[in-house]
Every structure is written in C-alpha cells, then in structure tokens.
Amino acid sequence: MKRMEKYIPNLLLTMILVFALIGLEGIMFAKNQLMRSEPYIDAVDTNDVALKSMNAIEKYFSDSESYSRIPADVYMSAITEKDVKNMIEMKINNVFDYIDGSNAEYNEVQYDFSNLEKSVSDYFADFAEKNNVATDEEYNQQLQKTIETAESEINNFTDVYMLKMIEKTGAFSKLNKLYGFVNPLIYITAGLTALCIIIILFLSRNNFFYWLSSAFLCSSVLALIPCLYFKFSGYLDKLVIRNDYIYSAVTGMLNGTLNKYIALQAGIFAVGIVLMVIYILISKKISSKDKNNN
C-alpha cells in the first residue's frame, strides 16, 4: 500500500516533468535556432544560395536584353557574388535585429547600389552620345526608371526567405512582441522542471533515477516521433517552391533545424539511458546489501 501511495504521485510528477522538459527544450531551441539570424545565414552558405541567386539575377538581365536593349554585362559588371551574399545577410540580420529588439522599428535594408547606378548611367551616356540622343528630362526619367527597376529586381532575388512577403502579414511585429515572453517562459519551465525533480527526489530516493530516466526517455521519444517522420518521409524536400535559390534556402534551413533538433533529442535520450543504467546499478547494490544483512 505504501508503495502504491508513492507510485501514484511519482507517476503524476513524472508526467508533469515530461511536458516541462519538452516545453523547456522547445522554447530554448526556438530561441537559439529559430529566433537568431545565424542558422538562416549558415543555411545560405551551406547550400550555395548566394551563387544560385547570382545566377538567377544574371538570367533575368540576359532575358531582358531582348526588350530593354541593355546588355546584361552593364548590370552584372557592377555586382559580384559577394555583393549578393552581403545583401542576403543584411536582409536576414535586419529582420532578427527587429525581432529581438535590437532595432526599435522594422525598415527595409537600403543597400549601396552606387556601382550599379554608375554603370547604367555610363551606358546611357555613351548610348546618347553615339546616337545623338538629347539628355533631357525624358532621358533622365528613363535612366532613373531603369536604375530603380534593376535595384528592385536585385532586391527581390536576394530576398531568399521571402521576408518581404512575410513582413506584409505582420508576422515580424508579432514575433517582436512574443520575444519578450521567451525568457520568462524559459524560467517558468525550468523552475517547474527543477521543482518536479526535487519533489521526486524527496518522495522516492531509492527510485529517483528510475523516475528521472523515465521522464527523459519519454520526453525525447515524444519529440522524436514527429521529427523522425518528417526526416524519413522526405516531406520537407517535397515542398513546391518555383525559384531554385528560395527552395535551397528554405529547405536547407528547415532540414538543418530538423537535424539539430533530432540530435538534441537523441542526446536527451542518451542521458535517459545513462540514468536508467545508474538506477539499475544502484538497485543491484541495494539488493546485494539487503541479502548480506539477512
């Protein structure tokens, strides 16, 4: 009867501990993986997204030659893969600086296109001189329109996570407000975790490692099941995204995040196994002592 009296509260506390652990792990993982710019930039580097974006830009300007009569080299000579990479990173950093409160307001990144503007202006000036085109107001308007269109397209091609579209939904402002609750939630779940562990230790010292191991094993298994499904079903790779550079960035980030979370849960599962081994060894030692005493 005494065993049953201890078993029920230990079981209930272990169940609470399981969900407290899942919450603590999930919130900390979200803060360090989903609410920081570095993982998104790492995915860009790992999957050669800057090069793919550069190729898409070059293709766009090559295709536009047929109706604009402006050689693609006029634009491409003024931008490099490093420029494209910098633009991608600036856009990503700008978003997360706003989400974590580093920037009070969200404003679109203004990149320095002075080399591009000079290249296009020089081409227009050379064309006007060779063809006796008057450099009047209409000429200046056409020049400005061409530059603005080029800059707008390059900005679109370097928005590899579709941040402009997401911003229009108001998601960034919501995440900015949500970010303020992240640390308090970590403290609450950490406190609840610690409280459950202390009470279990107080109620059942001999079986403490059993209950603790059970909590770690159950929390990791519950988190691993959906993750392993997404991993081995290839669900993320089946996402339909038309642009290669966006597909590479998005799926690269999602797969990278999934792999890291699986690794985290595998580590927690391993901790659970170690705790169970400790429990078994302690149980054997206690049983051996009881036999010797008898």
Side-chain angles (χ1 to χ4, degrees), residues 155-170:
N155 272 317
N156 290 336
F157 283 115
T158 53
D159 185 11
V160 298
Y161 288 111
M162 300 178 287
L163 300 174
K164 190 173 182 179
M165 182 182 74
I166 296 172
E167 192 275 331
K168 289 179 180 178
T169 66

Side-chain angles (χ1 to χ4, degrees), residues 27-38:
I27 296 166
M28 291 185 68
F29 185 83
K31 180 184 178 182
N32 294 316
Q33 179 68 20
L34 300 177
M35 292 186 171
R36 291 171 58 247
S37 61
E38 287 80 359

Side-chain angles (χ1 to χ4, degrees), residues 155 189 194 202:
N155 272 317
T189 52
F202 177 77

Side-chain angles (χ1 to χ4, degrees), residues 32-283:
N32 294 316
Q33 179 68 20
L34 300 177
M35 292 186 171
R36 291 171 58 247
S37 61
E38 287 80 359
Y40 296 84
I41 292 173
D42 288 344
V44 168
D45 293 338
T46 304
N47 296 279
D48 295 322
V49 175
L51 176 60
K52 292 172 183 176
S53 180
M54 182 74 171
N55 291 338
I57 292 170
E58 185 172 12
K59 184 179 185 305
Y60 169 79
F61 287 123
S62 296
D63 292 343
S64 69
E65 281 187 44
S66 59
Y67 55 85
S68 69
R69 305 300 179 187
I70 301 175
D73 190 57
V74 172
Y75 304 101
M76 300 309 300
S77 63
I79 57 172
T80 64
E81 187 180 334
K82 185 178 179 181
D83 290 324
V84 170
K85 186 175 184 295
N86 286 339
M87 280 185 263
I88 292 171
E89 291 183 1
M90 284 175 67
K91 286 178 169 64
I92 296 169
N93 284 323
N94 183 52
V95 167
F96 288 97
D97 284 344
Y98 171 65
I99 289 173
D100 68 17
S102 298
N103 292 340
E105 296 181 359
Y106 177 78
N107 296 302
E108 287 190 29
V109 174
Q110 300 299 317
Y111 195 75
D112 181 12
F113 283 108
S114 54
N115 289 337
L116 177 69
E117 291 168 5
K118 183 178 183 303
S119 181
V120 175
S121 296
D122 289 347
Y123 173 79
F124 266 64
D126 184 59
F127 181 87
E129 183 179 347
K130 289 179 179 177
N131 295 276
N132 296 318
V133 176
T135 55
D136 52 13
E137 185 177 350
E138 184 180 350
Y139 166 90
N140 290 325
Q141 287 178 350
Q142 185 60 41
L143 171 61
Q144 190 59 36
K145 182 180 178 182
T146 301
I147 291 172
E148 287 176 357
T149 300
E151 292 177 359
S152 176
E153 291 299 332
I154 292 171
N155 272 317
N156 290 336
F157 283 115
T158 53
D159 185 11
V160 298
Y161 288 111
M162 300 178 287
L163 300 174
K164 190 173 182 179
M165 182 182 74
I166 296 172
E167 192 275 331
K168 289 179 180 178
T169 66
F172 297 150
S173 61
K174 291 175 184 175
L175 286 171
N176 172 258
K177 294 174 182 176
L178 181 64
Y179 193 86
F181 295 99
V182 171
N183 284 337
L185 285 172
I186 289 174
Y187 299 143
I188 291 169
T189 52
L192 181 59
T193 299
L195 181 63
C196 288
I197 291 172
I198 292 168
I199 296 175
I200 291 172
L201 177 61
F202 177 77
L203 290 176
S204 183
R205 290 187 180 181
N206 291 341
N207 297 320
F208 171 70
F209 286 104
Y210 169 80
W211 293 110
L212 194 59
S213 170
S214 298
F216 274 79
L217 291 172
C218 288
S219 68
S220 64
V221 168
L222 286 174
L224 276 171
I225 289 172
C227 290
L228 292 174
Y229 168 76
F230 281 113
K231 173 72 176 176
F232 293 107
S233 67
Y235 181 83
L236 297 179
D237 296 327
K238 296 174 185 176
L239 292 176
V240 179
I241 301 176
R242 184 177 61 183
N243 297 317
D244 181 47
Y245 57 94
I246 294 178
Y247 175 86
S248 296
V250 172
T251 57
M253 170 57 191
L254 291 176
N255 280 310
T257 299
L258 185 61
N259 290 337
K260 288 177 183 177
Y261 193 68
I262 289 173
L264 170 65
Q265 295 304 328
I268 292 169
F269 187 85
V271 171
I273 294 293
V274 171
L275 291 171
M276 185 60 75
V277 170
I278 292 172
Y279 164 73
I280 292 169
L281 292 174
I282 291 174
S283 296

